[in-house]
Amino acid sequence: MATYDDRQWLLEHIQNSYVTSDDTGLCELVVQVEPGAAPVVEFPVLANTDSPPHHEHDDPPPHSVDIASDMDFMGHRQRSYTAQMLDKMRKEKKNASRVRRVMWKHSLAPVNESDLNDMFSRKAVISSRTPQDSPVSQQRPVSLLTRLVQQYPDGVNNPFIEYSKFDGTIHTSVQARKISIYLLVGDDPAPSYPMVVSIINCHQARVIDLIGLICWLYTKENRQPPLRGGVEHYALHIAEEDGQVDWDFQALRGRDMFEKFGFTVLALVEKKNVRGPPLDVVVTLNVAGGTFSKLTVENLDITLKDILNRTIAKRKDMVKIKDAGLNYHLERQNEPGLALDPELTLSDVNCTEFAVVRDNSKRINALIDTNNMSTMEATLYRSYKVIWLLKLGKCEACLGISGEKMELHPLQQKVVGPFLPLRPPGPVIYNMELVVDCRRKSEKKGKMEVQISCQGENRFKDYVFECEVNMGQEILDKCKHIFDLRSSSARNEFWREKKPFKRHNSLSMRRRPRTENHVNEI
């Protein structure tokens, strides 16, 4: 607490406090400082003050600064609560004077219809925008959205709406892939200007989803002729830049992911008779040497002559032989030596597997009796379907053996087993001189494991197969006949290294060093 003995200063401080803290503004009107105010010593109450004497020529005593409203800082001074309540009561009184209260009483006397019409007559509403007699006033403005709703009450009937999520034309921030699609639909399809389709989420979209997106855009643009059926009635084929479809390749499978295909031009082709059996027929033609070709024909009315010509056109060696003056004919695969008439159709012969045989040649029956196999029969090419046993799995393979070479081709890339190798096995081809051994490894439950050893670049390598007992015995007999007929230096080296080591006499403490050529050597 501070103690002040200057009464003049206290009076000025009290005056200033009243003026600044009064919300009503009354103190500001009552307590005012006049310019010619008398000094404090003239008041009898302050006669005995300890304040310094006031001289006439001295500066006027200090006083509080006059309060001026600062509109820039506060805007206006806040009103007191009393003033606000008085203003509110005044407004309520003013509004109450405009209200009229009427007490409702039920009238026992009925009111006539005419009196009701007079009291509650219907009045015509006249619009201020247009004259009453103008025909424009009778029409309501209709928006474009209202017209579309009236035109399509149930929405646009597009059965492929579920595939619109892959449309990339409405997405600007998502990377899309553009593909040119030729539309071969209708009774007389012909390639025209392609449709550019933008697809997103290629890592999730399948081929069937792309077909659905094309059908959705086709229906949305009201193209003609209209589509028939769903997405299963159409297929995507590889096409050239001018729209020509490459019929040598099959259509893209619908369940495959579209991301793995890098084609920029495709053709949408309408399938025929989807629910019935497919019209395309696959014909297998076996050629001498163990090779074969597969042709896809459109129907069963094609002649055997056309099939043979198409097969010869695909093989350059057969074209050269035919140009030299030699011809070929077809035989059923299971009927060797019986030539077929080239004018017969595929439906007449009722067969889809043939053998291409050169004229003046004889095809030997592939079903060789293993008990009576001769040396000449053993040198002929023969293929076997075996199970290739790998280190970390197994796969189906085609084993071909002849007097010249040994071939091993995997039939499928996927390897079944508890572990998958880093890469699928590739085809293996060895000259028969490098095939050094063929023996039975084990036999159980009607299956035989056959091991064939071959000489590689720096070592001997073993290939183990699993097959039926009869097939395995035939492979052993075939290789035995070939080994007896043809000797090789690699085979001699293999058996020389496989001989058991003999302990030398006491005079020679040296032993024969073990070789590291064979991977299975102990």
Side-chain angles (χ1 to χ4, degrees):
M1 176 181 292
T3 303
Y4 298 94
D5 56 355
D6 192 350
R7 300 185 179 183
Q8 177 67 28
W9 184 87
L10 289 175
L11 288 175
E12 292 176 356
H13 178 68
I14 293 172
Q15 177 186 2
N16 182 48
S17 299
Y18 271 109
V19 172
T20 56
S21 62
D22 184 26
D23 295 337
T24 60
L26 299 178
C27 291
E28 188 176 359
L29 298 176
V30 175
V31 183
Q32 293 183 354
V33 179
E34 299 297 336
V40 181
V41 295
E42 298 178 0
F43 293 96
V45 180
L46 303 176
N48 299 325
T49 59
D50 296 334
S51 301
H54 179 73
H55 299 282
E56 183 178 359
H57 301 286
D58 293 344
D59 293 336
H63 60 277
S64 62
V65 183
D66 296 339
I67 298 175
S69 61
D70 190 1
M71 300 301 295
D72 296 336
F73 179 70
M74 296 297 295
H76 64 279
R77 186 169 53 188
Q78 186 179 4
R79 301 177 62 190
S80 64
Y81 177 76
T82 305
Q84 294 180 8
M85 291 300 296
L86 291 174
D87 192 11
K88 184 177 180 181
M89 293 172 61
R90 184 171 58 255
K91 288 182 180 179
E92 290 178 354
K93 185 176 181 181
K94 184 178 180 180
N95 293 334
S97 63
R98 301 176 184 177
V99 178
R100 181 181 178 185
R101 296 183 180 181
V102 179
M103 184 177 294
W104 177 264
K105 294 182 180 180
H106 294 279
S107 178
L108 299 178
V111 183
N112 298 332
E113 186 110 2
S114 58
D115 296 340
L116 290 176
N117 293 334
D118 294 340
M119 289 186 293
F120 306 101
S121 60
R122 186 180 297 274
K123 297 181 180 181
V125 179
I126 300 175
S127 177
S128 60
R129 297 182 181 179
T130 56
Q132 182 179 3
D133 300 335
S134 177
V136 181
S137 61
Q138 304 297 332
Q139 297 180 0
R140 241 181 118 183
V142 180
S143 64
L144 181 59
L145 178 60
T146 306
R147 295 178 184 176
L148 292 176
V149 172
Q150 294 175 356
Q151 185 178 0
Y152 303 101
D154 298 333
V156 181
N157 187 16
N158 194 333
F160 309 99
I161 189 67
E162 59 177 315
Y163 301 101
S164 61
K165 61 183 179 181
F166 296 101
D167 186 17
T169 56
I170 59 178
H171 296 82
T172 58
S173 60
V174 182
Q175 184 178 4
R177 178 178 171 185
K178 294 185 178 181
I179 307 165
S180 300
I181 305 295
Y182 286 92
L183 304 172
L184 303 180
V185 296
D187 297 333
D188 297 326
S192 59
Y193 190 77
M195 173 196 290
V196 179
V197 178
S198 180
I199 182 174
I200 60 175
N201 298 333
C202 294
H203 62 284
Q204 298 178 355
R206 299 173 299 170
V207 176
I208 195 69
D209 297 328
L210 177 59
I211 296 175
L213 177 60
I214 298 171
C215 296
W216 180 74
L217 294 174
Y218 188 94
T219 308
K220 178 183 177 183
E221 298 174 3
N222 295 326
R223 293 177 177 252
Q224 296 296 328
L227 300 177
R228 294 177 289 190
V231 293
E232 67 275 0
H233 288 74
Y234 300 91
L236 284 178
H237 286 262
I238 304 173
E240 303 293 340
E241 295 291 340
D242 56 354
Q244 297 296 328
V245 181
D246 196 347
W247 299 106
D248 294 338
F249 295 94
Q250 296 182 358
L252 305 184
R253 293 186 299 181
R255 64 177 181 271
D256 291 344
M257 303 302 295
F258 185 72
E259 184 181 16
K260 69 178 184 179
F261 298 107
F263 306 112
T264 58
V265 181
L266 296 172
L268 182 69
V269 182
E270 184 178 1
K271 297 179 182 179
K272 304 295 183 181
N273 300 331
V274 177
R275 295 185 179 180
L279 296 179
D280 295 343
V281 180
V282 179
V283 181
T284 304
L285 298 106
N286 298 301
V287 189
T291 59
F292 63 92
S293 297
K294 287 189 177 182
L295 295 180
T296 303
V297 297
E298 293 76 11
N299 48 51
L300 299 177
D301 296 334
I302 187 172
T303 60
L304 299 182
K305 182 178 179 180
D306 296 338
I307 295 176
L308 180 61
N309 293 335
R310 290 174 59 178
T311 305
I312 295 175
K314 288 187 174 182
R315 296 181 172 274
K316 296 181 180 181
D317 53 345
M318 298 180 69
V319 173
K320 294 180 181 180
I321 294 175
K322 188 174 181 180
D323 293 341
L326 299 177
N327 294 324
Y328 290 88
H329 64 271
L330 294 180
E331 298 178 359
R332 286 189 175 90
Q333 181 64 24
N334 55 358
E335 296 180 0
L338 183 60
L340 297 175
D341 187 1
E343 299 299 331
L344 295 176
T345 61
L346 200 60
S347 60
D348 296 336
V349 296
N350 194 18
C351 181
T352 58
E353 187 173 2
F354 303 93
V356 182
V357 184
R358 190 174 59 187
D359 292 348
N360 301 326
S361 298
K362 183 179 180 182
R363 183 166 63 101
I364 300 177
N365 189 3
L367 300 176
I368 303 176
D369 187 4
T370 57
N371 296 328
N372 299 325
M373 180 185 298
S374 61
T375 305
M376 296 302 297
E377 292 174 347
T379 56
L380 298 177
Y381 183 87
R382 178 72 191 279
S383 61
Y384 306 92
K385 188 176 181 181
V386 296
I387 302 298
W388 188 0
L389 302 181
L390 304 172
K391 291 183 178 180
L392 300 177
K394 57 184 178 180
C395 69
E396 293 184 355
C398 180
L399 175 63
I401 301 176
S402 67
E404 300 294 334
K405 60 183 177 178
M406 189 270 291
E407 298 177 337
L408 182 60
H409 297 276
L411 296 181
Q412 57 182 5
Q413 297 294 337
K414 185 177 179 181
V415 179
V416 181
F419 302 98
L420 296 178
L422 298 179
R423 58 181 180 179
V428 178
I429 300 177
Y430 282 98
N431 194 319
M432 209 59 192
E433 295 182 355
L434 301 178
V435 180
V436 296
D437 186 23
C438 179
R439 63 186 182 87
R440 181 191 291 106
K441 189 175 182 180
S442 64
E443 181 179 348
K444 56 182 178 180
K445 296 183 181 180
K447 299 290 184 178
M448 178 187 295
E449 292 185 4
V450 180
Q451 176 178 323
I452 298 179
S453 302
C454 303
Q455 185 184 28
E457 296 180 356
N458 299 321
R459 60 175 183 173
F460 292 102
K461 191 172 183 180
D462 297 337
Y463 298 92
V464 183
F465 313 98
E466 185 181 61
C467 59
E468 301 292 337
V469 176
N470 297 335
M471 184 183 296
Q473 187 62 39
E474 182 179 346
I475 295 174
L476 295 175
D477 295 342
K478 190 177 184 67
C479 293
K480 180 181 178 181
H481 286 293
I482 295 175
F483 293 161
D484 295 341
L485 182 63
R486 299 180 180 179
S487 60
S488 66
S489 58
R491 200 173 299 119
N492 296 334
E493 180 182 357
F494 173 78
W495 288 111
R496 184 171 59 252
E497 295 180 357
K498 290 290 290 183
K499 288 183 179 179
F501 301 124
K502 296 181 180 180
R503 186 178 299 274
H504 294 269
N505 53 21
S506 58
L507 297 178
S508 177
M509 301 302 296
R510 294 178 302 173
R511 295 180 59 190
R512 181 182 177 183
R514 294 184 178 182
T515 178
E516 297 180 356
N517 289 341
H518 199 280
V519 294
N520 291 338
E521 185 176 3
I522 300 176

